[in-house]
Amino acid sequence: MRYGYFDDAAREYVIDRVDVPVSMTNYLGTQRMGTVISHNAGGYSWLDSPQHHRITRFRPNGVPMDWPGHYVYLRDDESGKYWSLSWQPTGLPLDEAKYEARHGLSYSRFKCDYQDISAEQILFIPREAGKEDPVEIFDVRIRNNSSRERNLSVYGYVEFSFHEIDMDNQNFQMSLYAAGSHYENDAVLCELHYEPNAWQFFAGNFVPDGYDGVREAFIGNYCTERNPAGVNTGKLTASHELGGNPCGALQKKLTLKPGEEARVLFYLGTGKGDAAEKARKRYDEAGTDEAFAELRSFWDAKLGGLQVTVPHENMNRSLNIWNLYQSEVNVLFSRFSSFIEVGGRTGLGYRDTAQDAMCIPHAEPDMCMKRIRQLLHGQMKQGYGLHLFDPAVLEKEETDGFKSPTVIPEADKKGMLHGLKDACADDALWLIPAIVENVRESGDLSFFDQEIPFADEGSGTVWDHMKAALDFSYEQVGSHGVTKGLRADWNDCLNLGGGESAMVAFLLVWATNHFLDAARAMGRKEDEAKYTALKAHMEETCRKQLWDGKWFLRGFTAAGAPIGSQAAVEGKVHMESNTWAVISGAADREQGLSCMDAVDEWLYTPWGLMLNAPSFVTLDDSIGFVTRVYPGVKENGAIFSHPNPWAWVAECMLGRGSRAMKFYDALLPENQNDKMEIRQAEPYSYCQFIMGKDHTAHGRARHPFMTGSSGWAYYAATRYMLGIRPGFEGLTVDPCIPAHWDGFEAVRKWRGAEYRIKVTNPSHVEKGVGRILADGKPVETIPVFDEGIHFIDVELKGE
Ligand code: GLC
């Protein structure tokens, strides 16, 4: 069963059955202001932080789901019938009213046909305004398809937030008297009286025929957004008040002749009345069109960094549009703004952000570098990263300004600097490949010598920071000589403390590989020698201590008991240790083939690879919280999406292109478009996890959009399956594809030049480059061209 389809030409996902059992979400905004919005226009906006600067309110995990939102209502002022342009909140019977929602890149479009009126609402946040006066535009068009004149009212409605998420949800004896609404310059304003710069506005490109600034006045007692009193009666009450629940409701009356169309614009933004006036001037109809066109070209340019043509329709669709888009949104908004993370946390998760920033440096170079600088600053001198931290707090100067006696608890820097006991073993290691991939992309070696402070004391060059991360991990080893698991490794629920983590050991080897590549590029021979030796020793230890005959152990508990062995009944085979054994290069070929066969045998499902199997059912705190999680859910035997691409990389390194594609296809959301009755999730984004075999709802995906699965899927598919990898000195094209592919094409922009890559596969092999031509001339490696268009022909011959 399906609820929608892909419109590739428009780069939109079209939901033509809007009664989807779950929210299908999208993200608006490409700079400071963001909005997460559902296919029914439910959702909320923020500026900079979804925790500390909320613009609109959301009632998460509620019934009806996804209320409230950024709504537009229409009312036939003769019959009194009214409806919303998104199916919710009025929720008319779908056999009477026709609805469609379209999610595009940083905009969403809601369409409705009812009572011979067709109407459309586009929501987007213009780019150029992002920096100073961000504003979300509701671009509304209404057309009279009937043969008589129609008198209509159009209403825009938003519910303002108390700015701080805690204030929205608790301490109402304070909150309800700290925010107020005003009406100035034909706009409804909402202020947070105790904060100097916390004005929000809702305005239109018209002089309103009515307004309300108090939620209860617009909605009415014992009504909801489904039947708000203001729309039901057709009369808004000009309410505004200091205190209470502020909202923005604006009414505009229209008379439309047969066939006539009208356009109405609403603006939601931050700032006072003059900001509303500025928005109105800047985004009149022509300004709005221009801003929308600019947003479209912004995305054209981004996606243009790499476009592929492969003989796999959904792979093209994913790599050329949705997978990159999702990865970008993750880098931009981090993880804490969704319908799942509803703003109660702010800042950056260390490992998640590092991995996000590693995966798409070609498309988002500035943002990835910004994230990397923030993470470097969030690293302790001892080498580990602050697991969750708010860079704004680190950067903030301590002041002795006015302290409010109540209200908002402020995050303080000291509290954020956690000690070793709260350190995760993997966090800072991810930063090394993230840095190195970004420098390979830009070619800017001087970044390694930039000075950046540590979170606690002192500062060091980027190079020093990388060494601190490596040194920390090489020192933190347990009784078998394998790296300790500490509070957790990548798997939040594997809490080994002084026990040892195979995954971290292999990740350390991989991070060292990246570091050594950089050391060679920088000519830092001493460091090259030192870390080559440390790495060789760790690899040796891993091969000896962690090999269990058929696959690799996941680690050891603090008491030395093996986890993930052939002898185990629960948690026998784990994805992290086996994939990383191969990716790191630490496993020898026989071990690699055997352990990835075990992954296929034990973990494969048609919905993707499970994280471990069989799920844990016996509580064992020496392994960790994972043994307290329901079997088949999240880290305990679910198809956790994020590590799935690790298996694609591993299979590509082993040269098994068909196997990699089998795993890729199982997880690819676009492949599941017609299986909504089971997967129950938006088919254009990777979800955090899918229920595993040990759960009754096997195949059901949860937590879309904000997940590291996306970056990794993009990274694995483009760099390993298609094999296009920038290096310090040249571009590698070393694909690993199914043998039946005749080849593929790709256009990759890199360091000022455009590479038009054509891969041919006349012998129908899975891997192995036979010859490379660069602009017609045979070459060993594809050189860095600083400009121009260059034609790269790669013929596969087999290994
Ligand atoms: C969540 C966390 C991530 C962690 C993963 C596995 O996705 O955001 O940091 O690695 O779970 O536990």
Side-chain angles (χ1 to χ4, degrees), residues 10 137 262 381 434 518 724:
I137 298 180
K381 194 149 197 229
I724 304 170

Side-chain angles (χ1 to χ4, degrees), residues 8 19 34 42 59 91 172 181 188 221 446 459 486 551 578 603 610:
D8 293 335
D19 56 343
R59 287 185 278 282
F172 291 113
S181 47
V188 181
N221 294 327
S446 73
S459 74
L486 304 182
W551 59 79
N578 290 300
L603 306 180
M610 296 181 290

Side-chain angles (χ1 to χ4, degrees), residues 496-564:
L496 300 175
E500 292 151 275
S501 160
M503 193 218 151
V504 180
F506 292 132
L507 176 62
L508 173 59
V509 170
W510 194 63
T512 310
N513 290 339
H514 284 276
F515 177 83
L516 290 175
D517 196 24
R520 283 185 290 271
M522 296 291 284
R524 301 211 161 142
K525 295 222 176 319
E526 229 172 89
D527 286 333
E528 193 188 339
K530 175 180 164 190
Y531 291 97
T532 302
L534 284 170
K535 175 175 102 101
H537 181 66
M538 183 56 74
E539 285 176 316
E540 186 58 37
T541 307
C542 288
R543 277 193 293 267
K544 202 160 125 212
Q545 302 287 355
L546 296 168
W547 181 243
D548 191 50
K550 286 191 171 169
W551 59 79
F552 285 92
L553 300 177
R554 181 65 175 83
F556 298 100
T557 66
I563 305 164

Side-chain angles (χ1 to χ4, degrees), residues 86-330:
S86 43
W87 179 49
Q88 296 295 320
T90 50
L92 292 186
L94 288 172
D95 52 358
E96 288 175 26
K98 190 170 172 298
Y99 279 97
E100 182 187 274
R102 286 173 173 254
H103 286 320
L105 306 184
S106 304
Y107 68 89
S108 289
R109 201 189 277 269
F110 307 95
K111 286 185 180 182
C112 166
D113 270 295
Y114 184 56
Q115 301 277 312
D116 292 327
I117 302 289
S118 53
E120 179 185 75
Q121 168 192 5
I122 300 179
L123 292 179
F124 77 104
I125 298 173
R127 256 197 73 67
E128 61 203 295
K131 289 198 185 84
E132 281 126 34
D133 45 1
V135 59
E136 181 181 306
I137 298 180
F138 300 22
D139 185 355
V140 178
R141 286 164 206 262
I142 303 152
R143 192 186 146 83
N144 175 6
N145 296 324
S146 71
S147 49
R148 63 199 164 86
E149 192 172 87
R150 305 289 289 269
N151 292 312
L152 304 169
S153 280
V154 53
Y155 303 82
Y157 175 69
V158 293
E159 181 175 337
F160 286 115
S161 155
F162 290 144
H163 201 183
E164 178 75 26
I165 189 72
D166 284 348
M167 296 290 286
D168 262 0
N169 291 306
Q170 63 194 40
N171 198 9
F172 291 113
Q173 61 88 21
M174 168 85 194
S175 319
L176 277 171
Y177 310 100
S181 47
H182 305 254
Y183 189 70
E184 270 173 30
N185 294 339
D186 303 321
V188 181
L189 308 180
C190 159
E191 67 156 333
L192 274 295
H193 193 55
Y194 56 88
E195 283 188 40
N197 296 314
W199 287 80
Q200 294 152 182
F201 69 83
F202 192 56
N205 67 338
F206 51 85
V207 176
D209 293 301
Y211 73 89
D212 268 311
V214 175
R215 183 185 71 181
E216 286 70 16
F218 176 74
I219 299 281
N221 294 327
Y222 302 106
C223 299
T224 68
E225 289 85 351
R226 174 150 291 157
N227 55 351
V231 181
N232 195 6
T233 60
K235 289 196 192 81
L236 302 192
T237 65
S239 59
H240 56 93
E241 188 174 289
L242 301 185
N245 281 301
C247 76
L250 296 171
Q251 177 186 18
K252 167 82 185 132
K253 292 189 174 174
L254 299 170
T255 300
L256 292 184
K257 294 197 180 67
E260 199 185 349
E261 182 174 294
R263 187 173 182 193
V264 175
L265 301 166
F266 295 94
Y267 314 101
L268 168 68
T270 59
K272 276 188 157 181
D274 52 341
E277 192 48 38
K278 251 166 80 185
R280 223 176 254 137
K281 286 216 177 89
R282 191 164 185 172
Y283 302 115
D284 57 7
E285 291 189 10
T288 299
D289 291 343
E290 206 178 293
F292 191 69
E294 195 177 342
L295 187 66
R296 301 279 295 203
S297 19
F298 167 79
W299 277 110
D300 286 347
K302 281 228 167 293
L303 300 178
L306 173 64
Q307 286 287 297
V308 306
T309 311
V310 300
H312 184 321
E313 195 187 352
N314 280 334
M315 192 177 198
N316 284 329
R317 187 171 275 149
S318 174
L319 295 182
N320 292 336
I321 308 174
W322 297 100
N323 190 184
L324 183 68
Y325 177 56
Q326 184 183 2
S327 308
E328 294 250 4
V329 167
N330 274 271

